[in-house]
Amino acid sequence: MDRLLLVNAALATMANGVLPGAAAYGLMNRAAIAVEKGRIRWVGPTEEAGAFPDFEKRDLEGRLVTPALVDCHTHLVHGGHRAWEFEMRLKGATYEEVARAGGGILSTVLSTRGATEAQLVKSALPRVDAMIREGVATVEIKSGYGLDIDTELTMLRAARRLAKERPIRVRTTFLGAHAVPPEYKGSPEAYLRDVCLPALDAAAEERLIDAVDGFCEGIAFNPDQMAQVFARARKHHLPVKLHAEQLSNIGGARLAARYGALSADHLEYADAGDAAALAQAGTVAVLLPGAYYTIRESRRPPVEAFREAGVPMAVATDCNPGSSPLASLLLAMNMACTLFGMTPEEALAGATRNGAKALGLKDCGVIAAGLRADLAIWDVEHPAELAYRIGFNPLRERLFAGADA
Ligand code: DI6
Ligand code: FE
């Protein structure tokens, strides 16, 4: 049906920003939403909903409606898993021993290279389905476990395919600069020149990517090397993002800010100066508590500095087979509160409005007239409950472009 009228809803529109004086969560009680042709046509008090007599009316009996969730940082397309590596570490093996036994990113690269596009799609679907069940309507998916031209492109095609298999919007990100593959060990420059940049050109030409990312870290690529990748992204008019200051501070956040990045992600080792640079550039800080938890990091991202500087903060799963085998954005929101000190309102904004901003999307992430009718209807009384419960999914219904799905 094309025209739907939701009445008697408690709306967390998330439209006001987390500003002093504004209603928390952009909350509106006894509110109504008129949906037409997949978009939100009108938002207002239920008493005024009579203006839409020929819309199919649904009484939500006071249930909470939020924007559908946005998971703005995942690596959910990949071959294989690393459960055995998890076991090895819990039996006392170090990261180095695991790596020598063929573990780490490299093990996922081998599994991914050995998979067809159809196999990658099939293995990713249960993770996508778990996200849909929790009210996610938009998910970002990165390449970066191919590290050769063909497999990087296969990963991206698989990611795009997922949006045809399921009612979900997929944004794809090129992450060729994720690690140096074994055949280029010790030669990151040669890898960038021979593989990463040509793969980026090919992906851009095939219109397979919406953004370009990299892992800026001592064990991956330094800021000068990342700048080469960003310069190439610019040539293709593609926005950039960066895994920055996850394990150390080597200037990734500032590089991201210099390139006007959509987001800088992880940021455990970022400082107040980085926060100022990100704020100035309008770059979103994407916080990934699943990775912090899994690798038992002890340094927390500087949430207070981000707050003070006015850096918008997003929260995502980082769903990947190594450092964050997490497919629950609700759990990521809980962790963002308990481990990082975000408020439940910031966590929800992080999984809606600011998640959309981290992807450069202006048509979702808040409830407002004109935007996509991607909505989540929850069996909760108050929006803080979404981040508060652990391992409990209160989603009642999800609307994807206005349709039950
Ligand atoms: N940072 C991470 O935490 C993951 N990638 C990245 O750039 C690690 C991915 C993995 O261990 O497979
Ligand atoms: Fe990541």
Side-chain angles (χ1 to χ4, degrees), residues 228-290:
Q228 296 176 39
V229 179
F230 282 3
R232 189 64 62 94
R234 217 172 236 183
K235 261 199 186 149
H236 293 291
H237 307 288
L238 286 165
V240 300
K241 324 166 66 70
L242 193 64
H243 288 67
E245 337 303 6
Q246 181 186 5
L247 309 168
S248 60
N249 190 315
I250 62 164
R254 280 165 216 250
L255 174 76
R258 218 162 48 246
Y259 276 83
L262 289 174
S263 70
D265 302 42
H266 288 286
L267 297 169
E268 277 82 347
Y269 288 79
D271 58 26
D274 296 323
L278 295 174
Q280 175 109 45
T283 297
V284 177
V286 176
L287 305 184
L288 304 166

Coordinates of all heavy atoms in Angstrom, one line a residue, residues 228-290:
Q228 N 47.9 9.1 -0.8 CA 47.9 8.7 -2.2 C 46.6 8.2 -2.5 O 46.0 8.4 -3.6 CB 49.0 7.7 -2.5 CG 50.4 8.1 -2.3 CD 51.4 6.9 -2.5 OE1 51.2 6.1 -3.3 NE2 52.4 6.8 -1.6
V229 N 46.0 7.3 -1.6 CA 44.7 6.7 -1.9 C 43.6 7.8 -1.9 O 42.8 7.8 -2.8 CB 44.4 5.6 -0.8 CG1 43.1 5.0 -1.1 CG2 45.5 4.6 -0.8
F230 N 43.7 8.7 -1.0 CA 42.7 9.8 -0.9 C 42.8 10.7 -2.2 O 41.7 11.1 -2.7 CB 42.9 10.6 0.3 CG 42.4 10.0 1.6 CD1 41.9 8.7 1.6 CD2 42.4 10.6 2.8 CE1 41.4 8.1 2.8 CE2 41.9 10.1 4.0 CZ 41.4 8.8 4.0
A231 N 44.0 10.9 -2.6 CA 44.1 11.8 -3.8 C 43.4 11.1 -5.0 O 42.7 11.7 -5.8 CB 45.6 12.0 -4.1
R232 N 43.6 9.8 -5.1 CA 42.9 9.0 -6.2 C 41.4 9.0 -6.0 O 40.7 9.2 -7.0 CB 43.5 7.6 -6.2 CG 43.0 6.8 -7.5 CD 43.6 7.4 -8.8 NE 45.0 7.4 -8.9 CZ 45.7 6.4 -9.4 NH1 45.1 5.4 -10.0 NH2 47.1 6.5 -9.4
A233 N 41.0 8.9 -4.8 CA 39.5 9.0 -4.5 C 38.9 10.3 -5.0 O 37.9 10.4 -5.6 CB 39.2 8.8 -3.0
R234 N 39.7 11.4 -4.7 CA 39.3 12.7 -5.1 C 39.1 12.8 -6.6 O 38.2 13.4 -7.1 CB 40.3 13.7 -4.7 CG 39.7 15.0 -4.2 CD 40.8 15.9 -3.6 NE 40.3 16.2 -2.2 CZ 41.0 17.1 -1.4 NH1 42.2 17.6 -1.9 NH2 40.6 17.4 -0.2
K235 N 40.0 12.2 -7.4 CA 39.9 12.2 -8.8 C 38.6 11.6 -9.3 O 38.1 12.0 -10.3 CB 41.1 11.3 -9.4 CG 42.3 12.1 -9.9 CD 43.1 11.3 -10.8 CE 44.4 12.1 -11.2 NZ 45.5 11.3 -11.4
H236 N 38.2 10.6 -8.6 CA 36.9 10.0 -8.9 C 35.7 10.7 -8.3 O 34.6 10.1 -8.3 CB 36.9 8.5 -8.5 CG 37.9 7.7 -9.3 ND1 37.8 7.4 -10.7 CD2 39.1 7.1 -9.0 CE1 38.8 6.7 -11.1 NE2 39.6 6.5 -10.1
H237 N 35.9 11.8 -7.6 CA 34.9 12.5 -6.9 C 34.2 11.6 -5.8 O 33.0 11.7 -5.6 CB 33.8 13.1 -7.9 CG 34.4 13.9 -8.9 ND1 35.0 15.2 -8.7 CD2 34.7 13.7 -10.2 CE1 35.5 15.6 -9.8 NE2 35.3 14.7 -10.8
L238 N 35.0 10.8 -5.2 CA 34.4 9.9 -4.1 C 34.9 10.4 -2.8 O 36.0 10.8 -2.5 CB 35.0 8.5 -4.3 CG 34.4 7.7 -5.5 CD1 35.2 6.5 -5.8 CD2 33.0 7.3 -5.2
P239 N 33.9 10.5 -1.8 CA 34.3 10.9 -0.5 C 35.1 9.8 0.2 O 35.1 8.7 -0.2 CB 32.9 11.0 0.2 CG 32.0 10.1 -0.5 CD 32.5 10.1 -1.9
V240 N 35.9 10.3 1.3 CA 36.7 9.3 2.0 C 36.3 9.2 3.4 O 35.6 10.0 4.0 CB 38.2 9.8 1.9 CG1 38.7 9.9 0.4 CG2 38.4 11.1 2.6
K241 N 36.9 8.1 4.0 CA 36.7 7.8 5.5 C 38.0 7.1 5.9 O 38.8 6.7 5.0 CB 35.6 6.8 5.7 CG 34.4 6.9 4.8 CD 33.5 5.7 4.8 CE 32.7 5.5 6.1 NZ 31.7 6.5 6.3
L242 N 38.2 7.0 7.2 CA 39.5 6.4 7.6 C 39.4 5.7 8.9 O 38.8 6.2 9.9 CB 40.6 7.5 7.7 CG 42.0 7.0 7.7 CD1 42.5 6.3 6.5 CD2 43.0 8.2 8.0
H243 N 40.0 4.4 9.0 CA 40.3 3.8 10.2 C 41.5 4.5 10.8 O 42.6 4.4 10.3 CB 40.7 2.3 10.0 CG 39.5 1.4 9.6 ND1 38.9 1.5 8.4 CD2 39.0 0.4 10.3 CE1 38.0 0.5 8.3 NE2 38.0 -0.2 9.4
A244 N 41.2 5.3 11.9 CA 42.3 6.2 12.4 C 42.5 6.0 13.9 O 41.5 5.9 14.6 CB 41.9 7.6 12.0
E245 N 43.7 6.1 14.3 CA 44.1 6.1 15.7 C 43.4 5.0 16.5 O 42.9 5.1 17.6 CB 43.8 7.4 16.5 CG 43.7 8.7 15.6 CD 44.9 9.1 14.8 OE1 45.9 8.3 14.7 OE2 44.9 10.2 14.2
Q246 N 43.4 3.8 15.9 CA 42.8 2.6 16.6 C 43.7 2.0 17.7 O 43.3 1.7 18.8 CB 42.3 1.5 15.7 CG 41.7 0.3 16.4 CD 41.4 -0.9 15.5 OE1 41.7 -0.9 14.3 NE2 40.7 -1.9 16.0
L247 N 45.0 1.9 17.3 CA 46.0 1.3 18.2 C 47.1 2.2 18.6 O 47.8 1.9 19.5 CB 46.6 0.0 17.4 CG 45.6 -1.0 16.8 CD1 46.3 -1.9 15.9 CD2 44.8 -1.7 17.9
S248 N 47.2 3.3 17.9 CA 48.2 4.3 18.2 C 47.8 5.6 17.5 O 46.9 5.6 16.7 CB 49.6 3.9 17.7 OG 49.5 3.7 16.3
N249 N 48.5 6.7 17.9 CA 48.2 8.0 17.2 C 49.3 8.3 16.2 O 50.4 8.7 16.6 CB 48.0 9.1 18.2 CG 47.4 10.4 17.6 OD1 47.8 10.8 16.5 ND2 46.4 11.0 18.2
I250 N 48.9 8.2 14.9 CA 49.9 8.5 13.9 C 49.4 9.6 12.9 O 50.0 9.7 11.8 CB 50.4 7.3 13.1 CG1 49.3 6.6 12.4 CG2 51.1 6.3 14.1 CD1 49.8 5.6 11.3
G251 N 48.4 10.3 13.3 CA 48.0 11.4 12.4 C 46.9 11.1 11.4 O 46.7 11.9 10.5
G252 N 46.3 10.0 11.6 CA 45.2 9.6 10.7 C 44.0 10.5 10.8 O 43.4 10.9 9.8
A253 N 43.6 10.9 12.0 CA 42.4 11.8 12.1 C 42.6 13.1 11.5 O 41.8 13.7 10.8 CB 42.1 12.0 13.6
R254 N 43.8 13.7 11.6 CA 44.1 15.0 11.0 C 44.1 14.8 9.5 O 43.7 15.7 8.8 CB 45.5 15.5 11.5 CG 45.3 16.2 12.9 CD 46.6 16.4 13.5 NE 46.5 16.2 15.0 CZ 46.6 17.2 15.8 NH1 46.8 18.4 15.5 NH2 46.4 16.9 17.1
L255 N 44.7 13.7 9.0 CA 44.7 13.5 7.5 C 43.2 13.4 7.0 O 42.9 14.1 6.0 CB 45.4 12.2 7.2 CG 45.3 11.8 5.7 CD1 46.2 12.6 4.9 CD2 45.6 10.3 5.6
A256 N 42.4 12.7 7.8 CA 41.0 12.6 7.4 C 40.4 14.0 7.4 O 39.6 14.3 6.4 CB 40.3 11.7 8.4
A257 N 40.6 14.8 8.4 CA 40.0 16.1 8.4 C 40.5 16.9 7.3 O 39.7 17.7 6.6 CB 40.4 16.8 9.8
R258 N 41.8 16.8 6.9 CA 42.4 17.6 5.8 C 41.7 17.3 4.5 O 41.5 18.1 3.6 CB 43.9 17.3 5.7 CG 44.6 18.5 5.3 CD 46.1 18.5 5.6 NE 46.8 17.3 5.2 CZ 47.4 16.5 6.0 NH1 47.4 16.7 7.3 NH2 48.1 15.4 5.5
Y259 N 41.2 16.0 4.3 CA 40.5 15.6 3.1 C 39.0 15.8 3.3 O 38.3 15.2 2.4 CB 40.9 14.2 2.7 CG 42.2 14.2 1.9 CD1 43.4 14.2 2.6 CD2 42.2 14.2 0.5 CE1 44.6 14.2 1.9 CE2 43.4 14.2 -0.2 CZ 44.6 14.2 0.5 OH 45.7 14.2 -0.3
G260 N 38.5 16.4 4.3 CA 37.1 16.6 4.5 C 36.4 15.3 4.6 O 35.3 15.1 4.0
A261 N 37.0 14.3 5.2 CA 36.4 12.9 5.3 C 35.0 12.9 5.8 O 34.7 13.7 6.7 CB 37.3 12.0 6.1
L262 N 34.2 12.0 5.4 CA 32.9 11.8 5.9 C 33.0 11.4 7.4 O 32.2 11.8 8.3 CB 32.1 10.7 5.2 CG 31.6 11.1 3.8 CD1 31.0 9.8 3.1 CD2 30.6 12.2 3.8
S263 N 34.0 10.5 7.6 CA 34.1 10.0 9.0 C 35.6 9.6 9.3 O 36.3 9.3 8.4 CB 33.2 8.8 9.2 OG 33.7 7.6 8.5
A264 N 35.9 9.6 10.6 CA 37.2 9.0 11.0 C 36.7 7.9 12.1 O 35.8 8.3 12.9 CB 38.1 10.0 11.7
D265 N 37.2 6.7 12.0 CA 36.6 5.6 12.7 C 37.6 5.0 13.7 O 38.8 4.9 13.5 CB 36.1 4.6 11.7 CG 35.1 5.1 10.7 OD1 35.3 6.3 10.2 OD2 34.1 4.5 10.4
H266 N 37.0 4.5 14.8 CA 37.8 3.9 15.9 C 38.2 5.0 16.9 O 37.6 5.2 17.9 CB 39.0 3.0 15.5 CG 38.6 1.7 14.9 ND1 38.2 0.7 15.6 CD2 38.7 1.3 13.6 CE1 37.9 -0.4 14.8 NE2 38.2 0.0 13.6
L267 N 39.4 5.6 16.7 CA 39.8 6.8 17.4 C 40.1 6.7 18.9 O 40.1 7.7 19.6 CB 38.7 7.9 17.2 CG 38.4 8.4 15.8 CD1 37.2 9.2 15.7 CD2 39.6 9.2 15.2
E268 N 40.4 5.5 19.3 CA 40.7 5.3 20.7 C 41.9 6.2 21.2 O 41.9 6.7 22.3 CB 41.0 3.8 21.0 CG 39.8 2.9 21.3 CD 39.1 2.4 20.0 OE1 39.4 2.9 18.9 OE2 38.3 1.5 20.1
Y269 N 42.8 6.3 20.2 CA 44.1 7.1 20.6 C 44.0 8.5 20.1 O 45.0 9.2 20.1 CB 45.3 6.4 20.1 CG 45.6 5.1 20.9 CD1 44.8 3.9 20.7 CD2 46.5 5.1 22.0 CE1 45.0 2.8 21.5 CE2 46.7 4.0 22.8 CZ 46.0 2.9 22.5 OH 46.2 1.8 23.4
A270 N 42.9 9.0 19.7 CA 42.7 10.4 19.2 C 42.8 11.3 20.5 O 42.6 10.9 21.6 CB 41.4 10.6 18.5
D271 N 43.2 12.6 20.2 CA 43.4 13.5 21.3 C 42.5 14.8 21.1 O 41.8 14.8 20.1 CB 44.8 13.9 21.6 CG 45.5 14.5 20.3 OD1 44.8 15.1 19.5 OD2 46.7 14.4 20.2
A272 N 42.6 15.8 22.0 CA 41.8 16.9 21.9 C 42.0 17.7 20.6 O 41.1 18.3 20.0 CB 41.9 17.8 23.1
G273 N 43.3 17.7 20.1 CA 43.7 18.4 18.9 C 43.0 17.7 17.7 O 42.5 18.4 16.8
D274 N 42.9 16.4 17.7 CA 42.3 15.7 16.7 C 40.8 16.0 16.7 O 40.2 16.2 15.6 CB 42.4 14.1 16.9 CG 43.9 13.7 16.8 OD1 44.6 14.2 15.9 OD2 44.3 12.8 17.5
A275 N 40.2 16.1 17.9 CA 38.8 16.4 18.0 C 38.5 17.8 17.4 O 37.5 17.9 16.6 CB 38.3 16.4 19.5
A276 N 39.4 18.8 17.6 CA 39.2 20.1 17.0 C 39.2 20.0 15.5 O 38.4 20.7 14.8 CB 40.2 21.0 17.6
A277 N 40.2 19.3 15.0 CA 40.3 19.1 13.5 C 39.1 18.5 12.9 O 38.6 18.9 11.9 CB 41.6 18.3 13.2
L278 N 38.6 17.4 13.6 CA 37.4 16.8 13.0 C 36.2 17.7 13.1 O 35.4 17.7 12.1 CB 37.1 15.5 13.8 CG 38.2 14.4 13.8 CD1 37.9 13.2 14.7 CD2 38.3 13.8 12.3
A279 N 36.1 18.4 14.2 CA 34.9 19.3 14.3 C 35.0 20.4 13.2 O 33.9 20.7 12.5 CB 35.0 20.0 15.7
Q280 N 36.1 20.9 13.0 CA 36.3 22.0 11.9 C 35.9 21.4 10.6 O 35.3 22.1 9.7 CB 37.8 22.4 11.9 CG 38.1 23.4 10.9 CD 38.4 24.7 11.4 OE1 39.1 24.8 12.5 NE2 37.9 25.7 10.8
A281 N 36.3 20.2 10.3 CA 36.0 19.6 9.0 C 34.6 19.0 8.8 O 34.2 18.6 7.8 CB 37.0 18.5 8.7
G282 N 33.9 19.0 10.0 CA 32.5 18.4 9.9 C 32.6 16.9 9.7 O 31.6 16.3 9.3
T283 N 33.7 16.3 10.1 CA 33.9 14.8 10.0 C 33.3 14.1 11.2 O 33.5 14.5 12.4 CB 35.4 14.5 9.9 OG1 35.9 15.1 8.8 CG2 35.7 13.0 9.9
V284 N 32.5 13.0 11.0 CA 31.9 12.3 12.0 C 32.9 11.3 12.7 O 33.7 10.7 12.0 CB 30.7 11.4 11.5 CG1 30.1 10.6 12.6 CG2 29.7 12.3 10.8
A285 N 32.9 11.3 14.0 CA 33.7 10.3 14.7 C 32.8 9.0 14.9 O 31.8 9.0 15.5 CB 34.1 10.8 16.1
V286 N 33.3 7.9 14.2 CA 32.5 6.7 14.3 C 33.1 5.8 15.4 O 34.3 5.4 15.2 CB 32.5 5.9 12.9 CG1 31.8 4.6 13.1 CG2 31.8 6.8 11.9
L287 N 32.4 5.5 16.4 CA 32.9 4.8 17.5 C 32.5 3.3 17.4 O 31.3 3.0 17.1 CB 32.5 5.4 18.9 CG 32.8 6.9 19.0 CD1 32.5 7.4 20.3 CD2 34.3 7.1 18.7
L288 N 33.4 2.4 17.7 CA 33.2 1.0 17.4 C 33.5 0.1 18.6 O 34.6 -0.5 18.7 CB 34.1 0.6 16.2 CG 33.9 1.4 14.9 CD1 35.0 1.2 13.9 CD2 32.5 1.1 14.3
P289 N 32.6 0.1 19.6 CA 32.9 -0.5 20.9 C 33.1 -2.0 20.8 O 33.7 -2.7 21.6 CB 31.7 -0.1 21.8 CG 30.6 0.2 20.8 CD 31.3 0.8 19.6
G290 N 32.6 -2.7 19.7 CA 32.7 -4.1 19.5 C 34.2 -4.5 19.3 O 34.6 -5.5 19.9

